[in-house]
Amino acid sequence: MKKIDLILNILIKLILLAIFVLFSFYKLKINILVITMTLLVFSFINSFIIKNKKISIDVEIFIFQAASVFYLERRANFKWREVPERIFDNYGYVKVLFILVFILTFIYLCIRNENKLLKKYVYSIFFILVIIENIFEIGIIYTISLLFSIPSTVLSYTRIDIAVMGIVIFLFIKKEKKFFLIYNFVILCLFVRYMTANLVWGIL
């Protein structure tokens, strides 16, 4: 990536981050579907990059961010304190989004992608959400998710999960420099976590 392209990308990413931070602060409500949708929209827009004076979407960057959204906005974010059940209104739609995004992701990774690190990351997120977090609330694996509920909640409360994602991005950067451009995604996730942890927003 040329220096001018890098500078333009960084400026655009910072502007995009500022817009979504302001939107999140003034308009976003604490509802798991609304938060997930907002971060997915950000992930999609944030996946467009400028290269050789052309704007195009980088599917790998979008896949990484989209998978991360579902993990970071899991129900464990709210388990360590009492919250109104309305936060989980329309949670079924989150499951539908999860299925759609991961089906399309798996198809892409099987057909077109050769990034083994990205495959491992996506498959790990899928395993964690389906088995450990029990996103579909399957009775037969309830005991497994119950055993991991406390560690998962601790990771959410301490923001260690977001810090780990930042480290993972660094590993991706060592393979492909373009992943440097999504650290604004990490910052937005930290901001959203802070807001939800302190129940700053209103409840839908």
Side-chain angles (χ1 to χ4, degrees), residues 114-165:
E114 298 181 355
N115 189 331
K116 294 182 179 179
L117 186 57
L118 182 62
K119 287 183 178 180
K120 290 178 181 178
Y121 181 75
V122 170
Y123 295 158
S124 296
I125 293 294
F126 183 82
F127 175 81
I128 291 171
L129 289 174
V130 174
I131 305 300
I132 296 178
E133 295 292 333
N134 196 12
I135 187 174
F136 298 115
E137 301 172 297
I138 302 171
I140 195 171
I141 59 176
Y142 175 76
T143 302
I144 297 176
S145 62
L146 187 62
L147 290 173
F148 287 94
S149 62
I150 293 179
S152 180
T153 301
V154 171
L155 289 175
S156 172
Y157 175 72
T158 58
R159 281 74 159 178
I160 291 177
D161 52 356
I162 299 179
V164 170
M165 184 183 68

Side-chain angles (χ1 to χ4, degrees), residues 20-28 38 188 191-192 195 201:
F20 270 80
V21 165
L22 289 172
F23 170 79
S24 299
F25 186 80
Y26 289 106
K27 296 294 183 180
L28 203 59
T38 300
L188 181 62
F191 179 77
V192 170
M195 297 291 282
W201 292 312

Side-chain angles (χ1 to χ4, degrees), residues 22-53:
L22 289 172
F23 170 79
S24 299
F25 186 80
Y26 289 106
K27 296 294 183 180
L28 203 59
K29 302 292 183 180
I30 298 184
N31 178 275
I32 197 165
L33 175 61
V34 175
I35 295 172
T36 300
M37 285 292 296
T38 300
L39 290 176
L40 284 176
V41 170
F42 176 87
S43 299
F44 177 73
I45 300 174
N46 199 46
S47 299
F48 284 89
I49 61 174
I50 299 173
K51 191 173 183 180
N52 298 324
K53 298 181 180 180

